[in-house]
Amino acid sequence: MSEAWLDAVAWDAQGLVPAIAQDAETGEVLMFAWMNRDALARTVATGEAVYFSRSRGRLWHKGEESGHIQKVRELRIDCDNDVVLLKIEQIGGMACHTGRRSCFFQKYFADGRWQAVDPVLKDPKDIYK
């Protein structure tokens, strides 16, 4: 397969592109991460989400520790070719390392505070050993 599809991505100066994981059935945004060229290529090759962890400086196969993998159902890119959207099936029901379904569990309230509004489905101590 030609790599023209990878060349079409508008990689930033660090060789990264933002990636949004969205539930393919409900449309709920589950998480945000970064991908480099290798992560995107491996995602396509395996059919499972692979990201680039900036803090670890390496590829990160989502669910490699937790078992909560993301099966990619559809892959899209935005109009500027600088954001990737993964429509996924979240295995295990949790995308967030806090044990919640989505990483976007904190809501802003008019009194100027953020508050967690989604429940912890599983204690992270029971997920990551």
Side-chain angles (χ1 to χ4, degrees):
M1 175 188 329
S2 165
E3 292 195 359
W5 67 277
L6 284 167
D7 294 336
V9 176
W11 306 100
D12 72 8
Q14 290 76 43
L16 300 174
V17 66
I20 299 166
Q22 179 184 44
D23 185 289
E25 295 297 316
T26 68
E28 178 183 16
V29 174
L30 298 177
M31 60 174 274
F32 165 84
W34 294 94
M35 291 181 139
N36 63 10
R37 189 178 182 96
D38 194 24
L40 185 54
R42 287 185 190 210
T43 295
V44 168
T46 64
E48 295 179 355
V50 177
Y51 301 105
F52 180 78
S53 171
R54 295 181 305 164
S55 61
R56 298 178 210 148
R58 67 171 179 84
L59 293 183
W60 154 48
H61 183 176
K62 178 67 175 158
E64 65 190 22
E65 294 179 36
S66 66
H68 301 145
I69 62 172
Q70 293 176 340
K71 298 226 179 244
V72 178
R73 299 294 177 226
E74 190 175 323
L75 195 59
R76 294 186 180 215
I77 195 163
D78 78 332
C79 57
D80 295 321
N81 291 7
D82 62 359
V83 178
V84 172
L85 176 66
L86 296 90
K87 294 191 174 202
I88 57 104
E89 175 189 351
Q90 181 65 57
I91 304 302
M94 288 172 270
C96 186
H97 74 282
T98 66
R100 292 175 173 88
R101 172 146 176 82
S102 170
C103 294
F104 297 95
F105 60 86
Q106 298 179 86
K107 180 179 176 179
Y108 177 78
F109 288 87
D111 64 0
R113 66 188 165 87
W114 294 97
Q115 182 175 331
V117 294
D118 296 339
V120 173
L121 302 175
K122 189 169 188 178
D123 189 321
K125 289 180 280 190
D126 297 332
I127 299 170
Y128 303 98
K129 298 187 172 44

